[in-house]
Amino acid sequence: QLQLQESGPGLVKPSDTLSLTCYVSGGSLRISNFRWAWIRQHPGKGLEWIGTFYYPDNTYYNPSLRSRVTISVDTSKSQFSLRLGSVTAADTALYFCARQPNIYHAFDIWGQGTLAIVSS
Amino acid sequence: QSALTQPASVSGSPGQSITISCTGTGSDVGNYKFVSWYQQHPGEAPQLIIYDGNKRPSGVSNRFSASKSDKTASLTISGLKAEDEADYFCCSHDGGSLWVFGGGTKLTVL
């Protein structure tokens, strides 16, 4: 059973870069049948899609975040990462990684989420 | 790319049916059948309950069903149970491999 687990620093200073990692166990990031996404949830709010990666090197980003976000993959470590630059308090959120099967258009497996707080 | 519109809250008594709406635009819900729905209990990750408009993943109760009319998608939960109390989110493809979520609806089982 494939599982996803996010990790990150927890606390980031304003204007710094937030770096998060999603470790994939029980499956391979190289399988072209799946895409890999980052989604965030502001405290007490709805979900916001950040971006999606699919092997080998395709990425799609939320237009509102595109100038600050990068998603990359390290298949040797079975993980994919999110980098969000120039963070502000508005980027404080619970960040989830998730899998998107190509055969249907949804996010079917999610990690438990990692909280990132932007504060000095 | 604007968030899809959902009611902030809905409520129902055990055994009843409730419907949650999700309104988008002609660029997302109105143009694609790929609406999905997610259930999120407090402190947990969202769980997929409906995909591709009206399909249920294995293990999801058939009390959950969904439909779409023009720019509005709907999730119906029949035979309401206490365990259904949660937040529900819709999500739609937005063209060009982009995705947009709804603001979420809090379901209270009275």
Side-chain angles (χ1 to χ4, degrees):
Chain A
Q1 174 74 358
L2 185 131
Q3 291 185 319
L4 306 177
Q5 179 64 59
E6 306 89 345
S7 63
L11 182 64
V12 184
K13 288 183 168 52
S15 80
D16 281 357
T17 295
L18 170 65
S19 295
L20 302 175
T21 297
C22 180
Y23 178 70
V24 180
S25 59
S28 173
L29 285 165
R30 290 191 183 135
I31 298 176
S32 59
N33 293 342
F34 302 104
R35 305 183 182 195
W36 308 92
W38 285 98
I39 296 158
R40 70 181 182 180
Q41 185 171 32
H42 293 102
K45 302 291 186 181
L47 300 167
E48 180 181 29
W49 173 74
I50 298 171
T52 293
F53 167 92
Y54 66 99
Y55 192 81
D57 59 2
N58 301 285
T59 50
Y60 297 96
Y61 299 124
N62 187 320
S64 68
L65 299 170
R66 183 176 291 140
S67 64
R68 299 192 291 129
V69 67
T70 302
I71 295 175
S72 60
V73 172
D74 187 337
T75 54
S76 67
K77 296 181 179 179
S78 292
Q79 62 188 35
F80 62 106
S81 301
L82 170 72
R83 286 175 59 86
L84 181 64
S86 304
V87 296
T88 69
D91 295 309
T92 292
L94 186 60
Y95 286 77
F96 295 100
C97 57
R99 187 183 79 169
Q100 288 179 270
N102 286 348
I103 59 171
Y104 57 81
H105 303 77
F107 305 91
D108 68 336
I109 297 177
W110 297 62
Q112 283 302 302
T114 185
L115 180 63
I117 298 173
V118 180
S119 175
S120 55
Chain B
Q1 191 191 48
S2 299
L4 306 177
T5 301
Q6 297 181 234
S9 63
V10 298
S11 63
S13 299
Q16 288 186 331
S17 294
I18 63 94
T19 296
I20 298 172
S21 62
C22 169
T23 302
T25 69
S27 298
D28 40 61
V29 176
N31 201 31
Y32 297 96
K33 64 178 182 179
F34 306 130
V35 177
S36 53
W37 289 89
Y38 303 83
Q39 177 191 63
Q40 185 181 35
H41 288 108
E44 296 184 3
Q47 178 189 350
L48 177 66
I49 55 174
I50 295 286
Y51 67 96
D52 284 0
N54 59 4
K55 300 175 183 176
R56 287 186 307 276
S58 174
V60 173
S61 171
N62 59 9
R63 296 185 300 105
F64 294 92
S65 62
S67 62
K68 194 193 81 157
S69 177
D70 194 17
K71 302 171 188 175
T72 298
S74 299
L75 172 72
T76 297
I77 308 174
S78 58
L80 212 55
K81 298 182 177 182
E83 66 205 48
D84 298 330
E85 185 161 294
D87 292 327
Y88 291 84
F89 298 91
C90 60
C91 179
S92 175
H93 192 247
D94 194 19
S97 295
L98 307 181
W99 299 87
V100 61
F101 284 92
T105 298
K106 181 177 180 58
L107 168 62
T108 300
V109 180
L110 302 171

